[in-house]
Amino acid sequence: MSLLMHSPDMRLKALVAFALEKWGFKLSMDQAYRAKVKAMEKIKGSTRDQYKHLRSYATELLDKNKNSTVKIKCDLSPHGPIFERIYVCLEACKSAFVTTCRPLIELDDCFLKGEFGGQLLTAVGKDGNNQMFPIAYAIVESENYSSWKWFVDLLIVDLDGIQEGCWAFISYQQKGLVKVIKELGENVEHLLCVKHLYGNWKNKYPGAHMKELMWMAGQATTIPNWEKAMLQIKNYDEEAWKDLQKLNPACWTRFAFKVNTKCDLQVNNMCEAFNNVIMGYRHKPIITLLEGIRFYISSRIVKLRTILMRYEGSICPKIQKIMEKK
C-alpha cells in the first residue's frame, strides 16, 4: 500500500514485477488489478463512500472560493437520494472569462472511466493569448437533451450574473445540444466544428481534393469566395454539394459568422486540449476527480499569471508571433 501511496499511477505490469522481486510470487494481471483496487480504496476511500461526502465537498469548495457555483442534482428513492449530476463554475473562471475573453464558448463531453461511468461536460473559452480557458464543468449520468440543457442553463445564469452578453457556442453535433442552443434564442450563435463535420462527411465523400474543397468553402471570408468554392464542389461531386447545401452557412463558414465574437475559430480544439490534460483523472472516484480538475485549473491560472507578469511586451506573446509572421 505504501508503494501505491507514492505511485498511484503505477501500471499493473510494474506491480507484478515488484511482487515477484520482493516476495518471489508471480501475480496474474487480474490478481494485480484486484489488489491495486483494494489498496487504492483504502488510500482514497471507497468509490461509493465518496458520494456520501459530496455535499461536504461542495460546501468546502464554496467556502474557499467565494461567489463560485456548485449545484448537485439527485433523484429520490425509497432508500434515500441517488446522485445524478454536479455542476461546478469557479468564480475566478467565470469572472475572468466574462471580463477579458471573447464571448465564444466551446462545449464538449467525454466518457468517465470509473466504476459508475457517466460523462463529463465542459465549457472552455479562448483567452487573450489564444490559449484554452476552462469556464465550467459538470459530471452527469449521460449525454442527452436534459443534461445539456441543465448544464447550459446554469452556465448562462453564471455568466449573465456578472455581465449580460451575446454568447456564441461551438461544438460537435452532440445529442440534444443543437436543440438546447437553438432554444436560447435567434441571437445566440451556434457554430459547428468543421473538423468534425468533415470527419462525418469523408466517409461518404472521401479524397484529399474533396477535403481541400470543403475547407476552402469553410474558410471563405466573403460571399464570392464561398460561392466559388461551392461551385467547385458542385462540379466535382454534385451529391456532396447538395449535402453541404443542407447546412446553414452561419454554422460552418466564416463569411457568415457574426462579428461580435471577434473570433474565426472553426474547430473544438480547446475542449479537446482540456479533456486530454485531465485524462488521468477520468477513472478516479468522484471527489478525487472533481478535486483533480479544480487543482489543475487553479494551478494553471497561477502558472500563466506568473509567466505574464515577467513578460515585458504590450501584446500577448502568441498574438505577437502571429503579427510578426504576417
Side-chain angles (χ1 to χ4, degrees):
M1 189 181 294
S2 60
L3 177 67
L4 288 172
M5 190 176 295
H6 294 98
S7 305
D9 295 322
M10 177 177 279
R11 295 182 179 274
L12 296 181
K13 287 184 179 179
L15 280 176
V16 171
F18 176 81
L20 183 61
E21 181 182 345
K22 186 167 183 177
W23 298 298
F25 182 78
K26 186 175 181 180
L27 297 170
S28 68
M29 295 297 282
D30 286 341
Q31 288 173 326
Y33 173 77
R34 290 195 297 270
K36 183 176 180 180
V37 168
K38 289 182 179 179
M40 294 306 296
E41 283 189 349
K42 289 182 179 179
I43 293 169
K44 296 182 179 179
S46 169
T47 299
R48 294 173 182 269
D49 286 344
Q50 287 205 9
Y51 287 93
K52 299 176 183 178
H53 305 293
L54 197 54
R55 289 197 181 277
S56 298
Y57 172 76
T59 301
E60 184 71 13
L61 191 62
L62 290 172
D63 183 57
K64 295 294 188 291
N65 298 270
K66 303 297 183 183
N67 300 319
S68 295
T69 304
V70 181
K71 299 288 185 182
I72 299 175
K73 184 177 185 298
C74 294
D75 191 16
L76 295 178
S77 77
H79 306 290
I82 299 174
F83 170 81
E84 281 191 344
R85 305 168 184 167
I86 183 169
Y87 165 91
V88 180
C89 185
L90 300 174
E91 163 64 17
C93 295
K94 60 183 175 182
S95 60
F97 174 76
V98 169
T99 57
T100 66
C101 298
R102 286 159 286 188
L104 180 63
I105 303 167
E106 294 188 25
L107 298 174
D108 199 9
D109 65 283
C110 63
F111 287 100
L112 298 178
K113 302 176 181 179
E115 181 180 351
F116 298 105
Q119 287 187 281
L120 180 72
L121 308 184
T122 53
V124 180
K126 194 174 188 179
D127 67 16
N129 197 37
N130 273 1
Q131 293 177 284
M132 69 171 175
F133 193 92
I135 308 166
Y137 49 96
I139 294 173
V140 299
E141 71 284 6
S142 63
E143 176 210 4
N144 52 46
Y145 169 81
S146 174
S147 59
W148 273 119
K149 181 170 177 56
W150 184 77
F151 180 69
V152 172
D153 284 351
L154 288 172
L155 176 65
I156 295 294
V157 169
D158 268 329
L159 300 182
D160 282 349
I162 297 172
Q163 178 181 304
E164 289 193 14
C166 295
W167 311 113
F169 298 90
I170 181 169
S171 71
Y172 304 141
Q173 293 174 297
Q174 286 102 326
K175 298 175 183 177
L177 181 55
V178 174
K179 182 180 178 183
V180 168
I181 297 177
K182 187 176 181 179
E183 290 174 351
L184 293 176
E186 294 181 358
N187 294 327
V188 177
E189 188 175 21
H190 185 199
L191 310 179
L192 297 176
C193 175
V194 178
K195 181 181 177 182
H196 184 258
L197 284 177
Y198 174 72
N200 293 331
W201 202 54
K202 71 178 180 180
N203 296 324
K204 197 172 181 181
Y205 309 107
H209 185 57
M210 185 61 77
K211 178 181 180 180
E212 180 184 351
L213 290 176
M214 182 177 182
W215 275 102
M216 186 187 299
Q219 294 175 338
T221 55
T222 64
I223 295 177
N225 285 344
W226 180 73
E227 290 177 339
K228 181 181 178 181
M230 291 297 287
L231 182 59
Q232 289 186 56
I233 293 173
K234 184 178 182 180
N235 292 335
Y236 187 78
D237 190 325
E238 189 166 349
E239 290 303 313
W241 172 79
K242 288 179 180 179
D243 272 0
L244 277 181
Q245 288 288 90
K246 297 174 185 177
L247 285 174
N248 184 348
C251 292
W252 69 283
T253 184
R254 284 177 177 170
F255 88 86
F257 289 0
K258 294 181 180 180
V259 297
N260 66 290
T261 56
K262 300 180 178 63
C263 187
D264 60 0
L265 190 67
Q266 292 184 285
V267 292
N268 226 23
N269 57 351
M270 297 295 167
C271 272
E272 289 178 0
F274 181 69
N275 288 341
N276 284 335
V277 296
I278 64 167
M279 187 174 294
Y281 296 108
R282 284 162 54 185
H283 66 283
K284 306 287 187 184
I286 187 164
I287 293 179
T288 310
L289 165 63
L290 291 167
E291 184 59 12
I293 296 173
R294 184 209 63 80
F295 180 77
Y296 167 75
I297 292 174
S298 301
S299 300
R300 189 171 189 275
I301 290 172
V302 173
K303 179 182 177 181
L304 293 180
R305 181 176 61 189
T306 302
I307 292 172
L308 285 178
M309 285 179 70
R310 293 197 296 260
Y311 181 66
E312 297 180 354
S314 58
I315 299 175
C316 289
K318 287 184 178 291
I319 308 302
Q320 182 68 46
K321 289 180 180 179
I322 292 174
M323 293 177 65
E324 289 172 357
K325 285 181 180 180
K326 294 184 178 181

